[in-house]
Amino acid sequence: MKIHTKAVHAGDRKKAGDSIPVTTPIYTATSFIYEETTRLDRIFGHEEAGDSYARFENPTNRALEELLTALEGGAASLACSSGMVAIQFALQAALTDRRKHVVASHALYGATIRMLFAIFEPLGVEATFVDFSDPGAVEKAIATHKPGAVLMETISNPLLRAGDIGRIAELARKAGAAFLVDNTFATPALVRPIEHGANLVVHSLTKYLAGHGDVLAGAIVADRQHAELVRAISRIAGPVLGPFESYLTMRGIKTFPLRFERQCQNACRIAAWLSAQPAVEKVYFPGDPGHPDAAVIRKLFPENAYGAMISFEVKGAGKDGIFAFMDRLKLVVRATSLGDVHTMMLYPVISSHRDISPKQRERMGIRDNLVRLSAGIEAFEDIIADLQQALAG
Ligand SMILES: *Cc1c(COP(=O)(O)O)cnc(C)c1O
């Protein structure tokens, strides 16, 4: 089945009483009871599937989890209260019975880097950061550090680099490491990392999948090997999503493939337009034929879809120049998120990469004149008109 079909059918229309609701209701109950207590006993004892307590299972979450499993081609999913908690629990599951070392991409989401330093390092988990667009560097780091987990993002932030997921999966597998991929930027519409050998996929559902800027949510999609472990540690610690947010996310996902198609199209057009502007110094876009990872992108992504994120440098602008440029935007929303129906712009220097020293940022290639744009579903002429007037000053 294609993703457009899965998005509207998977997980929904389960029998409830003697009818079948067309969409899954919001189950707010924290506990579930049965006419015979022996059944509850069997459910608590894992001899029978069923609901008992909301930290373990909930029918609304289960519907969303089935949908996510179908979209990513995994074995099971866990809906979490945020993307960050999904990453934390995926890493915990990965490292449970493995060496406490993570080889991670040096271009991870800022909070993920902070999580490795502030939460995992004090617990004895070391992290090594390397450039994941260079498989040789990843291979060397894996050979040197023998990590228990390897962690990357399908499309990195904000320079939009791509790594060879299949090749890295093979390196991780040979070393006995779990391979985790944050697929938030690419989404299952572009790449399904489990199909390329990843063990655990994580998402900030807050972004493209929920898509409307009105829900904070995350998910872990696990392969067969890790599905039970993820559920087991979740049953203890309860990082689960609330049923209201679960419902909203599922409602959002039904139109996700349509929205994302439009966002990808808009991004291609905006990137082409930006590249022709004298006020723009450089455009970073995975669809650019001259992109440094073009070969990997051709191999991994479908034709003519490159995601909907664009980064670009405004010629000659410093911090003040970027502030003035952003303040002139009337349509593009200056918000610290991405993937919503509306086009958004973020300035990495004051947000995602704020805690990184200017020198280190320069080394990472993140210059003071760089902004990141998340293409929305508006008419592209209107987006371009807004960018044009803001660039003109
Ligand atoms: C936003 C984001 C996260 C964190 O997700 P939250 O839902 O904000 O907790 C993690 N990874 C990436 C790539 C993101 O864009």
Side-chain angles (χ1 to χ4, degrees):
M1 233 186 265
K2 300 276 193 235
I3 196 164
H4 293 72
T5 314
K6 287 180 183 170
V8 293
H9 286 285
D12 261 334
R13 289 175 283 284
K14 299 285 158 59
K15 200 161 193 270
D18 64 355
S19 67
I20 301 171
V22 294
T23 59
T24 303
I26 302 168
Y27 286 87
T28 56
T30 51
S31 312
F32 298 82
I33 55 171
Y34 297 84
E35 282 178 22
E36 302 101 31
T37 305
T38 51
R39 258 196 93 191
L40 190 60
D41 182 36
R42 284 204 301 277
I43 290 166
F44 275 134
H46 305 292
E47 292 156 43
E48 190 183 320
D51 298 304
S52 55
Y53 186 60
R55 198 175 72 236
F56 305 155
E57 295 269 352
N58 163 302
T60 314
N61 284 21
R62 190 159 50 246
L64 171 63
E65 287 162 355
E66 264 185 43
L67 172 57
L68 294 166
T69 303
L71 294 183
E72 282 288 359
S77 298
L78 178 75
C80 298
S81 53
S82 72
M84 289 318 300
V85 95
I87 296 171
Q88 183 182 346
F89 277 76
L91 267 174
Q92 269 173 1
L95 295 172
T96 300
D97 53 2
R98 291 191 179 92
R99 249 177 69 76
K100 308 297 180 256
H101 194 115
V102 183
V103 165
S105 163
H106 68 173
L108 290 173
Y109 183 71
T112 308
I113 296 177
R114 282 200 293 282
M115 177 180 282
L116 288 167
F117 286 132
I119 298 179
F120 282 95
E121 198 179 277
L123 295 172
V125 180
E126 281 179 73
T128 304
F129 296 93
V130 291
D131 179 358
F132 269 55
S133 55
D134 175 2
V138 178
E139 184 166 11
K140 198 165 150 221
I142 290 177
T144 309
H145 301 289
K146 301 184 174 49
V150 173
L151 172 64
M152 71 177 290
E153 293 169 6
T154 321
I155 301 175
S156 79
N157 177 35
L159 298 179
L160 313 177
R161 298 294 301 262
D164 191 338
I165 295 181
R167 193 154 161 216
I168 294 162
E170 190 56 26
L171 295 170
R173 193 187 58 77
K174 280 196 189 135
F179 182 32
L180 288 76
V181 180
D182 181 335
N183 202 29
T184 302
F185 274 37
T187 84
L190 287 191
V191 183
R192 290 166 299 281
I194 291 174
E195 291 177 0
H196 298 276
N199 301 109
L200 294 150
V201 167
V202 291
H203 273 284
S204 169
L205 302 175
T206 315
K207 316 292 169 54
Y208 288 105
L209 288 161
H212 295 77
D214 56 5
V215 54
L216 185 81
I220 303 172
V221 186
D223 67 357
R224 208 155 294 288
Q225 193 190 344
H226 296 83
E228 259 179 55
L229 182 58
V230 168
R231 181 61 64 176
I233 63 175
S234 167
R235 284 170 68 93
I236 298 168
V240 297
L241 189 62
F244 291 100
E245 286 78 6
S246 204
Y247 162 80
L248 263 183
T249 305
M250 200 163 181
R251 186 185 162 98
I253 291 176
K254 288 176 198 291
T255 55
F256 151 70
L258 265 183
R259 284 187 276 110
F260 195 63
E261 250 173 38
R262 167 75 167 215
Q263 287 168 312
C264 288
Q265 265 172 22
N266 274 350
C268 282
R269 292 166 133 172
I270 296 166
W273 181 83
L274 284 169
S275 301
Q277 301 313 302
V280 173
E281 188 165 336
K282 189 165 177 184
V283 178
Y284 299 83
F285 182 58
D288 174 3
H291 190 284
D293 309 317
V296 168
I297 289 164
R298 256 198 313 277
K299 193 163 94 179
L300 282 180
F301 294 9
E303 249 177 88
N304 302 320
Y306 306 98
M309 302 300 298
I310 304 162
S311 292
F312 62 96
E313 292 169 355
V314 181
K315 196 170 279 173
K319 211 167 167 176
D320 293 343
I322 294 293
F323 285 168
F325 163 61
M326 289 179 73
D327 287 348
R328 285 191 294 270
L329 293 166
K330 295 191 174 90
L331 181 89
V332 174
V333 182
R334 295 161 289 162
T336 318
S337 190
L338 62 114
D340 290 344
V341 285
H342 43 261
T343 299
M344 284 183 273
M345 189 178 288
L346 164 148
Y347 185 27
V349 166
I350 62 158
S351 51
S352 57
H353 293 70
R354 190 184 183 98
D355 297 339
I356 299 169
S357 71
K359 219 164 131 191
Q360 175 67 7
R361 270 203 306 264
E362 191 77 27
R363 228 177 292 139
M364 292 168 79
I366 299 162
R367 301 177 58 198
D368 280 358
N369 63 348
L370 182 85
V371 293
R372 190 192 80 186
L373 183 118
S374 161
I377 63 169
E378 304 96 329
F380 90 98
E381 298 90 336
D382 294 328
I383 303 168
I384 283 172
D386 193 37
L387 291 171
Q388 185 158 35
Q389 64 80 20
L391 279 172

